[in-house]
Amino acid sequence: MPVCSGCAGELPRHDAPACPCCARPTPEGQFCGHCLRDPPAFDSTRALYGYVFPADALVRAFKYRHRLSLVRFFVGAVGSLPEADVVVPMPLHPRRLSERGFNQALEIARPLARAAGLPLEHGGVARKRYTPPQAMLDREARLANPRGAFVCRRRFDGLRVMAIDDVMTTGASLDALARCLKAAGAAAVHNFVLARAG
């Protein structure tokens, strides 16, 4: 077990009232101003943790230091998941996949799909454009960076898609992915992320 039960109990669960669309904290769980003014293409977001210490350190260890043993811990901490018909991990560009050696979203999606009894679709959406890492950019650049970065290689007609990623900050990448999925016929896109920043 990579995290002891005592430390696991100290992790910042994302259980406080939050916008049902983007999971940004709101006083009574109502839709936030951002989603009311400029609704994203996705329909809901569920986050396991807030992206603050020590959860942020665990996610970074998994993502950048190849601590893949943490996947079992993260998946074991998940309660209910959005209702869906298919699971789609956030795609990586082949160059980024070569640099990192693995797709962190796919590593999370595999056991989640298995646990939920859902098909995993990791070849049906691709990242067609190489983009700088979101973590290196300011907010304005993060919002613009992933636009038009994805292409769907199959149809998702009438399907409810559960999109998987590790961290959600501005939500721009998940929004761009949802736009691609809906253009390919998806009826709804529900996000699940390990951690929500902000």
Side-chain angles (χ1 to χ4, degrees), residues 49-63:
Y49 301 114
Y51 194 58
V52 294
F53 186 81
D56 58 346
L58 283 178
V59 173
R60 284 197 299 270
F62 159 57
K63 185 173 181 177

Side-chain angles (χ1 to χ4, degrees), residues 3 6 22 46 54 99 109 118 129-130 136 153:
V3 181
C22 74
R46 175 156 186 272
E99 291 167 356
L118 295 173
R129 185 165 57 80
Y130 183 80
M136 297 173 57
R153 295 172 169 164

Side-chain angles (χ1 to χ4, degrees), residues 35-195:
C35 290
L36 289 173
R37 282 192 309 271
D38 187 16
F42 51 77
D43 297 273
S44 73
T45 301
R46 175 156 186 272
L48 186 57
Y49 301 114
Y51 194 58
V52 294
F53 186 81
D56 58 346
L58 283 178
V59 173
R60 284 197 299 270
F62 159 57
K63 185 173 181 177
Y64 299 116
R65 299 207 306 272
H66 292 218
R67 292 289 306 278
L68 298 181
S69 61
L70 285 165
V71 172
R72 183 179 296 177
F73 167 74
F74 290 137
V75 172
V78 175
S80 62
L81 287 167
E83 287 193 12
D85 302 302
V86 63
V87 175
V88 173
M90 176 66 71
L92 282 185
H93 188 273
R95 179 175 157 192
R96 180 67 39 74
L97 183 60
S98 175
E99 291 167 356
R100 186 167 294 153
F102 69 103
N103 178 347
Q104 70 277 5
L106 177 57
E107 295 301 320
I108 301 162
R110 274 196 190 108
L112 282 179
R114 193 163 49 244
L118 295 173
L120 174 65
E121 179 58 74
H122 66 278
V125 186
R127 192 180 285 254
K128 64 181 180 180
R129 185 165 57 80
Y130 183 80
T131 54
Q134 292 285 82
M136 297 173 57
L137 306 174
D138 62 26
R139 179 176 172 77
E140 287 300 312
R142 283 185 184 199
L143 291 171
N145 189 37
R147 287 183 195 143
F150 303 103
V151 61
C152 285
R153 295 172 169 164
R154 57 155 284 188
R155 298 293 302 174
F156 289 86
D157 294 313
L159 296 179
R160 298 167 300 171
V161 177
M162 188 193 318
I164 308 292
D165 205 1
D166 57 336
V167 178
M168 182 177 186
T169 50
T170 62
S173 294
L174 285 160
D175 182 48
L177 177 60
R179 289 182 191 283
C180 179
L181 289 164
K182 287 194 170 177
V189 178
H190 302 288
N191 302 324
F192 175 80
V193 296
L194 291 183

